[in-house]
Amino acid sequence: MAILGASEAPGGGRWFLGLNDAQFEERNPIGLVLLCEQGGNLLDFALPAEGLRELLGRLSKVGGERKINLVRVRDRYVIQVPGSEGA
């Protein structure tokens, strides 16, 4: 299992995380856990390995890292994917 963590961005409702592509492929995890701090609380999101590589392949890559942009939209949390409509 790979684990990433981030604090809420200024303005709220948004977290920016980076996943090292090479390490992720080398370790071949069974899934990914996003730990997101929000006002003293910790939110956790578990993403199973099934379908994860396809999602990661659609995310922006900068300096060997996939950029994960998690956004709160009303009562839902969404990973924004470049080129997709909506949040």
Side-chain angles (χ1 to χ4, degrees), residues 52-71:
L52 188 57
R53 282 184 176 74
E54 190 238 325
L55 168 67
L56 293 175
R58 296 173 54 204
L59 300 177
S60 299
K61 185 175 181 180
V62 178
E65 283 191 343
R66 293 293 171 176
K67 299 302 177 183
I68 301 171
N69 183 2
L70 182 69
V71 180

Side-chain angles (χ1 to χ4, degrees), residues 22-83:
Q23 288 180 3
F24 186 77
E25 288 302 321
E26 178 183 313
R27 295 177 186 190
N28 195 28
I30 60 171
L32 179 63
V33 175
L34 307 179
L35 296 176
C36 301
E37 182 274 328
Q38 180 182 38
N41 295 318
L42 193 59
L43 307 172
D44 59 283
F45 304 93
L47 307 171
E50 184 178 313
L52 188 57
R53 282 184 176 74
E54 190 238 325
L55 168 67
L56 293 175
R58 296 173 54 204
L59 300 177
S60 299
K61 185 175 181 180
V62 178
E65 283 191 343
R66 293 293 171 176
K67 299 302 177 183
I68 301 171
N69 183 2
L70 182 69
V71 180
R72 184 180 63 236
V73 179
R74 294 186 252 340
D75 61 343
R76 295 178 49 213
Y77 294 85
V78 179
I79 294 175
Q80 290 190 319
V81 177

